[in-house]
Amino acid sequence: MKIGTSTESGGGSFIGLLSTINGTLNRMSVQTIRNVFSVETGYRLSDDQIVNHFPNHYELTRKDLMVKNIKRYRKELEKEGSPLAEKDENGKYLYLDFVPVTYMLPADYNLFVEEFRKSPSSTWIMKPCGKAQGKGIFLINKLSQIKKWSRDSKTSSFVTQSTKEAYVISLYINNPLLIGGRKFDLRLYVLVSTYRPLRCYMYKLGFCRFCTVKYSPSTSELDNMFVHLTNVAIQKHGEDYNHIHGGKWTVSNLRLYLESTRGKEVTGKLFDEIHWIIVQSLKAVAPVMNNDKHCFECYGYDIIIDDKLKPWLIEVNASPSLTSSTANDRILKYNLINDTLNIAVPNGEIPDCKWNKSPPKEVLGNYEILYDEELAQGDGADRELRSRQGQSLGPKGGRSRDLGRTVLTTWK
């Protein structure tokens, strides 16, 4: 089987996969996905064609839609009386508080101003909804800094969407966990083979991306993106960028570091919470995702850990970069492609979208099952809640595959 490995514009995204009858796999970008599934084109995929995006993947990968869907998910759980949606005395979610306070601009401008005035010394980060690689991002700590977005400050009405791009504005995590004085985030890869039932896999070879300049919360450094943004597309232009290691650590090295400085139990809890965040975000979009049988998707999750070891979901990428900035990068991403294809197209055979998308454990490679809705159907929200509170679920806990071993995963 041939594999097309050409990259899209924007830094080398995940290869698009469109399998033809002779078993050739070619690139499919997110733009092509929209065309293929557009009602106007009338194009229909055959049973031997598999693509690497869901038709409306943007419900998770557009910054504004991701937050909107997570908020809706919380409200639905509240209406159902789910204990997962429990709040504290201040109205903050106990178990579903994993995205920073976020508003859409221009739509939520008045709500943002109201929140900003509650803590006028806070810092906020503005991001364009549909861009990547750190483009168009800036930090603010004064309302006057976004007045330019407002046409009339008295009514807080904005110029039309056609002339101003939609942004999200989020409370900046100004107490990030620092290593060597530098801010970093995690890039984790998650493969979803189907949304209904939800089945997802975590790639064990993620990495940390470090800033090249030591972190400072000083307002005088708000414009220095080498301090605040971990994107390699930005950091590689810094004077202190190291081309050998690329400012990256493996997740396994991070885990070793945290176990030695914070302890194994605390570190295990942190990674457990990261897995929880990922699954809850996927559950939030599962009802609205077009679960086409021809589709699978490998997402790039960006997670920031604060100095209290609380993880925060920052964004999810539909086309995580596969550009190799270091030798280790090349090896990791080659293995990522290989392992993804082995799950999406087992044994390298001609794809068949009718198969049940449950590959044998022998082909998982560096992936491990993160969540399987069919296996977890016996575990209700009460079991999830007790696992959030650190209570053992006993032998009936959900099970995950880890390199052929069946291990207990209580949080499921």
Side-chain angles (χ1 to χ4, degrees), residues 252 368 399:
S252 57
E368 56 186 352
R399 292 184 179 273

Side-chain angles (χ1 to χ4, degrees), residues 359-379:
K361 63 179 181 292
E362 293 80 17
V363 306
L364 296 186
N366 288 297
Y367 277 108
E368 56 186 352
I369 293 179
L370 181 60
Y371 184 80
D372 188 323
E373 190 172 15
E374 286 185 319
L375 294 179
Q377 280 178 345
D379 295 341

Side-chain angles (χ1 to χ4, degrees), residues 66 70 74 92-93 96-102 127 170-177 184-188 270 273-275 277-278 281 301-316:
M66 180 192 79
I70 289 174
R74 291 166 169 170
K92 183 175 290 187
Y93 289 97
L96 297 173
D97 177 36
F98 55 80
V99 290
V101 175
T102 300
K127 301 178 182 180
S170 302
L171 190 62
Y172 185 63
I173 307 298
N174 62 2
N175 62 326
L177 177 66
F184 69 95
D185 74 351
L186 274 65
R187 165 55 61 85
L188 302 173
L270 167 65
E273 289 180 353
I274 291 174
H275 295 165
I277 285 173
I278 292 170
S281 68
Y301 269 75
D302 292 345
I303 304 283
I304 282 183
I305 305 168
D306 67 23
D307 57 11
K308 298 177 182 177
L309 290 196
K310 176 181 173 61
W312 297 90
L313 173 59
I314 303 303
E315 63 183 75
V316 184

Side-chain angles (χ1 to χ4, degrees), residues 29 35 37 48 85 92 117 150 175 184 200 229 244 275 277 297 299 336 345 371 375 389 402:
S29 68
N35 294 333
F37 289 102
D48 65 336
K92 183 175 290 187
R117 286 173 175 160
S150 176
N175 62 326
F184 69 95
C200 56
L229 298 187
I244 297 175
H275 295 165
I277 285 173
E297 190 143 19
Y299 298 103
L336 174 66
V345 191
Y371 184 80
L375 294 179
Q389 296 171 330
D402 181 9

Side-chain angles (χ1 to χ4, degrees), residues 183-333:
K183 178 182 174 180
F184 69 95
D185 74 351
L186 274 65
R187 165 55 61 85
L188 302 173
Y189 299 101
V190 178
L191 173 63
V192 177
S193 58
T194 170
Y195 271 100
R196 290 188 294 277
L198 177 61
R199 186 178 295 123
C200 56
Y201 305 81
M202 168 66 73
Y203 202 63
K204 291 182 287 185
L205 305 182
F207 54 88
C208 309
R209 306 179 296 185
F210 283 83
C211 290
T212 54
V213 178
K214 288 191 174 183
Y215 179 77
S216 168
S218 170
T219 56
S220 63
E221 294 282 5
L222 287 187
D223 293 331
N224 188 345
M225 293 300 101
F226 296 120
V227 171
H228 299 287
L229 298 187
T230 58
N231 308 69
V232 175
I234 289 177
Q235 294 297 331
K236 68 181 181 182
H237 299 295
E239 292 180 5
D240 297 322
Y241 180 74
N242 186 306
H243 291 274
I244 297 175
H245 57 65
K248 295 178 179 178
W249 252 19
T250 63
V251 168
S252 57
N253 278 345
L254 172 66
R255 187 156 199 154
L256 286 172
Y257 171 83
L258 292 175
E259 285 177 353
S260 64
T261 56
R262 303 292 187 100
K264 282 192 174 184
E265 185 177 348
V266 171
T267 302
K269 181 175 181 290
L270 167 65
F271 280 91
D272 200 41
E273 289 180 353
I274 291 174
H275 295 165
W276 160 267
I277 285 173
I278 292 170
V279 171
Q280 295 305 310
S281 68
L282 293 172
K283 284 185 174 184
V285 300
V288 298
M289 197 65 71
N290 186 339
N291 188 50
D292 193 280
K293 62 183 179 180
H294 299 89
C295 304
F296 70 94
E297 190 143 19
C298 180
Y299 298 103
Y301 269 75
D302 292 345
I303 304 283
I304 282 183
I305 305 168
D306 67 23
D307 57 11
K308 298 177 182 177
L309 290 196
K310 176 181 173 61
W312 297 90
L313 173 59
I314 303 303
E315 63 183 75
V316 184
N317 297 271
S319 297
S321 172
L322 290 185
T323 298
S324 300
S325 56
T326 68
N328 287 336
D329 242 4
R330 181 175 294 275
I331 295 170
L332 183 153
K333 290 170 180 176

Side-chain angles (χ1 to χ4, degrees), residues 74-75 78 85-94 97:
R74 291 166 169 170
K75 293 295 183 185
E78 277 188 73
E86 185 180 343
K87 295 180 178 180
D88 63 16
E89 62 274 7
N90 298 318
K92 183 175 290 187
Y93 289 97
L94 291 175
D97 177 36

